[in-house]
Structures are given as C-alpha cells and as structure tokens.
Amino acid sequence: MEIAKRTENGSGQCVHLCRPPPAPDLPMQHRGADSGSAVFWRPWIDDGGEKEQEAPHNAVEAVPLKQGRSLMDWIRLTKSGKDLTGLKGRLIEVTEEELKKHNKKDDCWICIRGFVYNVSPYMEYHPGGEDELMRAAGSDGTDLFDQVHRWVNYESMLKECLVGRMAMKPALPKDYHEEKKVLNGMLPQSQVTDTLAKEGPSSPSYDWFQTDSLVTIVIYTKQKDINLDSVIVDHRDDSFRAETVIKDYSYLVHVALSHEIQEDFSVLVVENVGKIEIVLKKKENTSWKCLGHPQENHNSFIPKKDTGLFYRKCQLVSKEDVTHDTKLFCLMLPPSTHLEVPVGQHVYLRLPITGTEIVKPYTPVCDSLFSEFKEPVLPNNIYIYFLIKIYPAGFFTPELDQLQIGDYVSVSNPEGNFIISQLQELEDLFLLAAGTGFTPMVKVLNYALTNIPSLRKVKLMFFNKTEDDIIWRSQLEKLAFKDKRFEVEFVLSAPTSEWSGKQGYISPALLSEFLKRRSDTSKVLICLCGPTPFTEQGMKMLHDLNFSKDEIHSFTA
C-alpha cells in the first residue's frame, strides 16, 4: 500500500494562455490551456546546438532553416498583421472535398483535430522541413501529427493560419447525453469510451462515498501494477481532475465538484487489488447529494497518445550552480496537485517568451544521488528537480535562468516509453551518458541500487568535453566508494594535459572493454542518452557487439 498526502500551503494556478477562440462555439478540447497551450521548438536541441535532455521517442530530425526563418522570425510574422490564411480574416467551414483541393506547397491546408490551417506560410519555418508538412497536405493530419510530435501546441503556433473547421462535426461518444447527467456515483460500464483494442487493458470504473467531513473517490483500475506515480490529481477552483495511467492508456475522472473542498488531500493506492482512493476534505460538513457535473473527457479511457498534455503552474523555490553552465532547479507543485514522475520519464516545461508560449522537455532528477539517505524537510512528492544546461545563445534556457525565486513555470504530465519492469531481475546495468544525457540516468541509477535485489553491478560511462563539464562528479565518486556494486568511468574529448583518465569519443574499443556481462545468460540492460550523433553511433556499436534490442534502451529519438 502506498499513500501520499498534500498538506503544505502554496499557490500556483493555471492561466489560459491561448487567444480567445475565433468562434464562440468551438469545442473546448481545441482551445483550452490545459491541453498544452504552447509552441514546441526542437525539444532536445537548444539554439546552442547541443542536446538538452531526453528527446520524445517519436521526434523527427530538425532540418536546417534558411536565413530569416527562425522561430523568432515566425513569431514576428504572425504578429505583423499580414493575412496568412488568404481569407481576409473570415473563418469558414471546410468540406472534405474543399480540403483535398489545397494540397500544394503554395496552397496547403491541413486538418488537425477538426480544425483546418493554411500552413503554406509556415512551410519554410517548419523545423521538420517542408516535406514533413506535405505528407498531410489536403487531408486530416491528426494521426501523423500525433505520431511525430503530439505535444506541439499547433493552436498557438498556427493561430493566425486558422481557416476554420471541418463541416462535419466529430461523432459524439456513446451515451453522450447520459454522460451529461449529474453524477451520483458509479457510472455504467457502457459510458467508458469503447475505442480500446481487444488486447488492451480492462476498462476502469469509479465510485464515491462520503462522511460528515470527507469525500472519497475510488478508482477501480482492475490492474495490479498500479502505484502512486500511476495517478495524477489536480484540483483548481471547483474542477477536480484525476488521470490514471494504465499501461499505454489513460483513464480520466474530471468533474466540477458540487461543493467546495480544502486544498490538501490524500492519495492512497492498494496495489494488490489496483484500487486508488483519493480522500478530499469538505470545507463545510454538509451532505453532498451528488459528486458534481462531468467536465471535458470525463470517464474516458483512451490510448495515452490520444490525450492532450495537461499543465499546472509550479513555483521556482531554488536554483544552484552544479557546473560552470549547468544548474539544479527546484520547482514546487501546487498544494492541490499530486504528481510523481515515473523513473525514466520526462515532463515539458512551458514559458512565455516574447508573447508566445515555448515548450521543452526535461527529465526530472533527484536533488542528490544520496537523497534517499537524507531526512526530507517536506515530503519529496512536493518538489521536482531538474539539471539544466544554460546556453547563453539559446532561446529557452536563458529565459529559464532569468526566473527569480517565487516565479512560476508550467509543468506537464509525464511522458516517456521507459518501462520500469525492464529493471526487474536485472543482474548488470550499464549506463552510457554524454553531457546532460546524464539526467535520465539519475533516477534509473538510484532505483536500481535501492530496489533490485538481483543487481550485481551498475556501471556508468560518462562522456564530457572537460573535467569542468562533469555533472555531480564528487557525488558519483562518493557513491562508487560507498556502494561497491557501482562503478563510474569518465571519458573526456578535450581534456587538459593533467587528465589521466580515458580520452576520446564513444567507440567499439571503449564499449567492448566496458560492457562485460557476467555470463551469456545473465540479464543485462544498457541505457543510452546523449546528443543524436552519440546515440546513433552508440546504438549501432551495441548491435555490432551482439546486444539485442531488448537489452538496449535509448532515451533519445
């Protein structure tokens, strides 16, 4: 059984960052700030040209842009007042036949989630290249968009290119009208979205009950591998949102509560039966006749790739230098949020820059490699830590570095395809990291040493340019001294003459010496993260060394 409790005071409300919708009856899922109102800009590359953090695993390579075709240039163009749709400010309904006509580079319309955009003006500004956009020319590009970069907020990026919406409205979900009824307990099974493949997990359900002072919402997941990082809870004003991640699916309970509740609440997971209990405290000891009214996507159970990103505003409480260009940022979650980022997953940070919301992915770390030995001042699940390299000529990180203590950053729900079960019964764990590619390794390393009894050895090969670039060097060396299962080797590409350690870049010779498995049958896992060339070369070398794809996990594209 696991339990998490939020009791600290704080602030951090989400604000709506999209412009007002062009028509009052546009569906909320296409204009709400909660589903990711931001612009995405080469998430794993800052303008300095080096890898920042783990890349979303479906990301495509960026294409070199022409002079004057940067993100800033596009933002200036959208604010210039120029007619980018060719419709002189009108919004129209677009039929399928009309959409198909606009399939050329100089006349290219694309539909995303029911909304049609003229992307011709954006062609030369697209980091993925014109050919990538043309794949969806004159058609519904939603599936392609979701496969490549569903975290991109096309609404903000293309808001001045909006032509209108498709003439045919999306079909309502089954039992839609019944869904709008006031909630008073468990909903019929038929009201859960029935788009699951036969091999998908069983559909969850929920119920609620109350005492004089408490309301308990119970989610029955029908899965045994549920824990505290499987559920994310956000309460704002009267809106209550609980998302449960079950394998590759997302189950959402989303209601406008019928009465006010206090900020602090508890989340309890009974793992052996897959039951989640969220205990809310009433502001007034009155009896509730109903839980509340359903909100957008309430009681839905859909593939996670089809859900939008949800953000909450987190407060910067500290930042400290780690190396000459890398800092440790500590963000505090709002008091009415429960969020624990699973091992090996990342979140998106969102900041307003020159009037536009910019998003970049970062992998949370522990506050220290020895954090499990320290007595925390406050519960660990209140804070999220990030090791972030600051690029002076970059676009995002200088703005992040300018934030003052007490300022806010929007943080998304977790994403990522690392599966913690890969570590079970592991004998040898090898970590290959370059620069800030070290960040996904931090929690993997801590988790393996703490929770995997079969583990015989963990070895980290850490590639950097100079000694000054090595993140947490003293902590790594101290950990290797304290835990004999852990070994670390530093490899420098531009060392001083005093350096006596390994030199160079990732190579077959280095790897063959480093990757010594106990036996041919021992269970091993190799995790790899760094700039794209590092990862691509490393993957090829590992395959050439006869490691199977099941024995390799890459944290990059």
Side-chain angles (χ1 to χ4, degrees):
M1 177 184 297
E2 293 186 79
I3 187 168
K5 189 176 182 180
R6 297 304 312 272
T7 57
E8 282 60 43
N9 292 325
S11 58
Q13 60 212 9
C14 183
V15 295
H16 290 269
L17 298 166
C18 291
R19 70 167 182 169
D25 58 346
L26 295 182
M28 282 299 295
Q29 62 264 35
H30 299 294
R31 52 186 168 93
D34 292 342
S35 59
S37 308
V39 174
F40 176 81
W41 181 246
R42 293 185 67 186
W44 64 102
I45 302 287
D46 209 335
D47 296 26
E50 295 188 53
K51 178 182 178 297
E52 272 282 357
Q53 299 285 340
E54 171 193 356
H57 74 283
N58 286 333
V60 296
E61 276 299 317
V63 173
L65 298 174
K66 297 177 182 178
Q67 188 73 23
R69 295 297 184 268
S70 69
L71 174 60
M72 284 301 304
D73 294 316
W74 173 250
I75 292 173
R76 293 189 192 99
L77 178 60
T78 61
K79 297 181 182 297
S80 67
K82 185 177 180 180
D83 179 16
L84 299 183
T85 65
L87 298 176
K88 299 181 179 179
R90 293 182 298 119
L91 290 169
I92 63 173
E93 285 197 335
V94 182
T95 63
E96 287 189 26
E97 292 72 21
E98 181 66 25
L99 178 63
K100 290 177 182 178
K101 297 176 184 177
H102 302 271
N103 60 359
K104 302 176 181 63
K105 283 188 178 181
D106 60 352
D107 181 20
C108 181
W109 290 8
I110 293 176
C111 174
I112 304 177
R113 293 192 175 90
F115 287 80
V116 179
Y117 299 88
N118 180 359
V119 299
S120 300
Y122 182 59
M123 283 284 178
E124 293 185 344
Y125 298 84
H126 183 229
E130 297 179 2
D131 291 343
E132 190 70 21
L133 283 178
M134 287 302 297
R135 291 172 63 190
S139 66
D140 189 330
T142 304
D143 288 343
L144 178 61
F145 175 84
D146 287 343
Q147 289 170 17
V148 178
H149 38 39
R150 73 180 187 85
W151 53 88
V152 178
N153 179 16
Y154 57 91
E155 299 165 288
S156 182
M157 177 70 86
L158 300 175
K159 61 185 178 183
E160 300 301 331
C161 300
L162 180 65
V163 172
R165 59 182 174 185
M166 292 299 293
M168 183 175 292
K169 297 179 180 179
L172 296 177
K174 188 177 181 181
D175 293 322
Y176 174 84
H177 297 291
E178 287 80 358
E179 183 73 27
K180 289 296 182 182
K181 292 180 179 178
V182 173
L183 307 176
N184 58 4
M186 187 179 296
L187 296 178
Q189 186 66 32
S190 62
Q191 289 185 232
V192 176
T193 310
D194 78 356
T195 58
L196 298 178
K198 292 182 180 179
E199 65 271 15
S202 300
S203 298
S205 59
Y206 80 97
D207 201 352
W208 71 282
F209 58 89
Q210 63 181 312
T211 65
D212 288 344
S213 59
L214 303 174
V215 170
T216 300
I217 298 172
V218 183
I219 298 172
Y220 303 95
T221 68
K222 305 173 186 175
Q223 304 289 323
K224 291 188 176 181
D225 55 349
I226 299 297
N227 48 50
L228 283 172
D229 62 21
S230 302
V231 60
I232 305 160
V233 181
D234 290 275
H235 171 242
R236 301 176 190 162
D237 301 322
D238 67 342
S239 176
F240 173 86
R241 189 182 193 279
E243 179 180 359
T244 304
V245 178
I246 303 172
K247 298 180 179 177
D248 294 328
Y249 292 85
S250 169
Y251 177 64
L252 183 64
V253 174
H254 191 193
V255 298
L257 297 174
S258 61
H259 294 72
E260 291 185 347
I261 61 172
Q262 298 180 33
E263 281 189 336
D264 58 305
F265 58 85
S266 298
V267 180
L268 180 142
V269 174
V270 185
E271 295 180 20
N272 59 339
V273 295
K275 182 173 72 171
I276 298 168
E277 294 185 0
I278 304 166
V279 183
L280 313 176
K281 295 181 181 179
K282 297 179 178 178
K283 270 199 173 179
E284 297 181 356
N285 293 346
T286 58
S287 178
W288 293 18
K289 294 182 180 179
C290 65
L291 181 61
H293 297 267
Q295 300 296 289
E296 179 187 358
N297 296 326
H298 170 67
N299 204 33
S300 62
F301 187 43
I302 59 178
K304 196 169 189 305
K305 65 181 181 65
D306 295 334
T307 63
L309 286 175
F310 186 87
Y311 288 81
R312 73 281 301 147
K313 295 191 78 174
C314 297
Q315 189 175 36
L316 178 65
V317 295
S318 71
K319 58 178 175 178
E320 59 184 59
D321 292 334
V322 176
T323 71
H324 63 100
D325 60 4
T326 301
K327 296 186 179 183
L328 180 68
F329 290 76
C330 177
L331 302 179
M332 183 172 67
L333 291 165
S336 295
T337 290
H338 165 80
L339 168 63
E340 296 185 12
V341 181
V343 172
Q345 295 198 11
H346 58 271
V347 298
Y348 296 92
L349 302 187
R350 186 175 72 183
L351 278 178
I353 300 176
T354 63
T356 302
E357 294 298 318
I358 310 297
V359 168
K360 287 194 61 140
Y362 291 95
T363 305
V365 299
C366 311
D367 63 331
S368 161
L369 288 176
F370 299 94
S371 58
E372 70 269 22
F373 301 119
K374 299 193 304 184
E375 189 68 32
V377 178
L378 293 170
N380 288 329
N381 64 330
I382 290 183
Y383 299 106
I384 307 180
Y385 295 88
F386 300 92
L387 283 166
I388 298 176
K389 182 174 181 178
I390 308 300
Y391 296 93
F395 190 74
F396 186 87
T397 56
E399 294 290 332
L400 191 65
D401 193 33
Q402 290 299 313
L403 293 179
Q404 303 298 308
I405 303 304
D407 288 344
Y408 288 88
V409 181
S410 294
V411 178
S412 77
N413 284 2
E415 295 268 293
N417 62 343
F418 184 81
I419 303 172
I420 197 71
S421 60
Q422 294 176 94
L423 299 176
Q424 298 305 317
E425 300 180 3
L426 203 63
E427 295 178 57
D428 296 302
L429 174 62
F430 299 103
L431 308 174
L432 304 173
T436 49
F438 169 67
T439 56
M441 310 303 181
V442 174
K443 285 192 172 183
V444 172
L445 173 61
N446 264 341
Y447 181 89
L449 289 174
T450 307
N451 297 286
I452 307 300
S454 60
L455 194 66
R456 183 184 70 91
K457 184 69 69 177
V458 181
K459 296 177 68 176
L460 167 67
M461 182 169 277
F462 196 1
F463 295 81
N464 287 278
K465 291 181 180 178
T466 69
E467 288 185 78
D468 291 339
D469 295 319
I470 301 174
I471 297 171
W472 282 354
R473 178 180 179 178
S474 61
Q475 289 195 42
L476 289 166
E477 292 173 336
K478 182 180 177 181
L479 181 61
F481 178 78
K482 290 175 68 73
D483 194 326
K484 298 307 179 185
R485 296 174 298 168
F486 176 63
E487 295 179 10
V488 59
E489 293 185 19
F490 302 111
V491 183
L492 302 183
S493 60
T496 62
S497 57
E498 289 80 22
W499 176 251
S500 59
K502 287 186 169 61
Q503 301 182 29
Y505 300 90
I506 190 169
S507 67
L510 277 177
L511 295 185
S512 60
E513 179 187 349
F514 179 71
L515 302 170
K516 300 290 187 183
R517 61 196 307 162
R518 189 174 188 179
S519 69
D520 292 339
T521 59
S522 60
K523 185 175 179 181
V524 304
L525 180 66
I526 305 169
C527 293
L528 184 70
C529 190
T532 301
F534 171 88
T535 304
E536 291 178 346
Q537 294 171 26
M539 292 288 286
K540 183 179 184 305
M541 293 172 192
L542 292 173
H543 289 306
D544 290 343
L545 289 170
N546 295 320
F547 288 97
S548 70
K549 66 177 183 178
D550 293 334
E551 294 175 325
I552 305 170
H553 181 86
S554 169
F555 283 103
T556 55

